Amino acid sequence: MKKRLDGKKVLITAAGQGIGKATAIAFHNEGAKVHATDINDKTLKILKEEYPDINIYKLDSTNKIDIEKYCSQLNQVDVLFNAVGFVHHGTILDCDEKDWDFSFDVNIKSMYFMTREILPKMIKQNKGSIINVSSIASSLKGLPNRFVYGTTKAAIIGFTKSIASDYLKNNIRCNAIAPGTVHTPSWEERVQAAENPEQAKKDFIARQPMGRLGTPEEIATLAVYLASDESDFVTGIIHSIDGGMSI
Ligand SMILES: NC(=O)c1ccc[n+]([C@@H]2O[C@H](COP(=O)([O-])OP(=O)(O)OC[C@H]3O[C@@H](n4cnc5c(N)ncnc54)[C@H](O)[C@@H]3O)[C@@H](O)[C@H]2O)c1
């Protein structure tokens, strides 16, 4: 039986855990050839043990030289899933210049580097789908203590729309996914780092009108749609998936 991503080659950042990992698995299960990258080779190795057909590569998405080297040996790339991101907790007064630069490097400059390397391949193919992971905490919604995170995630929205507009004629689509709170390892870490983890957990869940967090697999389902030809008429759109947070 034909699968939804048969014949597609996909490149994923931050595929070691959370949304990136769930998406790598979903893409693989739908027939794609998956290149999974992450800065953490331990989690990548676990992914490889679970799914031997997935290619893994340790890659820091903020390292321009390594990205160029890695991408230069990939021929066809049909889908780029830019998942890498870091949550800085705090207001503008908690965010010094180092925090600002780090968040911009990880959350948006990484996408700039990856996309600059992969776009020329897609232009040659006259087809491609780029999917960027933004957040509900962005230009969509202001959330407390998400100052630089929300700023970078809003930048991803401008980035996505610009690329969608510039490369529409090349048959290259660019969309963003804006999740609400999703149950991932880094979310667990944020809860455990709070002064009162039990209360922090309750507060996160209370923010969600549906009264629960999303799962990485739910986000991956949307990613499969955006990666597949089923969404060929969809570009430049920010797809909120947030349990009603943005209503
Ligand atoms: N979890 C949520 O509630 C939530 C909500 C909205 C948006 N997002 C976004 O979804 C994306 C994935 O988040 P998550 O919570 O699923 O994952 P996570 O935070 O649990 O994992 C992040 C992954 O990124 C990798 N990574 C970190 N820095 C890297 C770098 N420089 N180069 C390569 N890899 C690097 C880590 O090793 C890890 O595997 C992020 O962009 C995040 O901002 C998450």
Side-chain angles (χ1 to χ4, degrees), residues 168-236:
L168 190 137
K169 293 278 186 306
N170 301 86
N171 206 22
I172 295 165
R173 302 181 295 107
C174 185
N175 289 282
I177 294 179
T181 309
V182 182
H183 194 163
T184 64
S186 71
W187 176 79
E188 284 287 355
E189 280 168 25
R190 283 190 288 284
V191 165
Q192 292 313 322
E195 242 169 65
N196 181 343
E198 261 326 294
Q199 191 55 45
K201 205 175 216 172
K202 282 190 190 136
D203 292 345
F204 272 119
I205 292 169
R207 287 198 320 200
Q208 301 287 128
M210 285 188 185
R212 70 167 177 92
L213 304 186
T215 67
E217 291 72 23
E218 285 173 312
I219 312 302
T221 302
L222 176 55
V224 167
Y225 166 70
L226 292 173
S228 77
D229 296 343
E230 295 158 17
S231 59
D232 263 353
F233 204 48
V234 181
T235 193

Side-chain angles (χ1 to χ4, degrees), residues 1-12 22-35 51 53-55 76 78-79 224 227-228 230:
M1 203 178 75
K2 197 166 159 36
K3 294 185 173 175
R4 293 164 78 195
L5 299 178
D6 268 348
K8 298 218 187 273
K9 296 204 171 145
V10 311
L11 174 54
I12 303 182
T23 302
I25 294 168
F27 283 178
H28 166 77
N29 288 342
E30 285 295 348
K33 185 83 211 153
V34 176
H35 298 282
Y51 295 89
D53 290 343
I54 293 183
N55 294 315
Q76 180 192 341
D78 303 290
V79 179
V224 167
S228 77
E230 295 158 17

Side-chain angles (χ1 to χ4, degrees), residues 116-135:
R116 288 251 308 173
E117 289 308 306
I118 297 305
L119 247 176
K121 300 179 199 296
M122 292 181 169
I123 292 170
K124 238 192 234 162
Q125 293 160 197
N126 196 38
K127 194 165 167 74
S129 173
I130 299 167
I131 306 160
N132 302 319
V133 183
S134 177
S135 171

Side-chain angles (χ1 to χ4, degrees), residues 14 17 19 38-39 59-61 83 85 133-134 149 153 180 182 184 186:
Q17 65 183 40
I19 293 168
D38 199 290
I39 199 169
L59 183 68
D60 176 351
S61 301
V133 183
S134 177
Y149 181 73
K153 291 294 181 179
V182 182
T184 64
S186 71

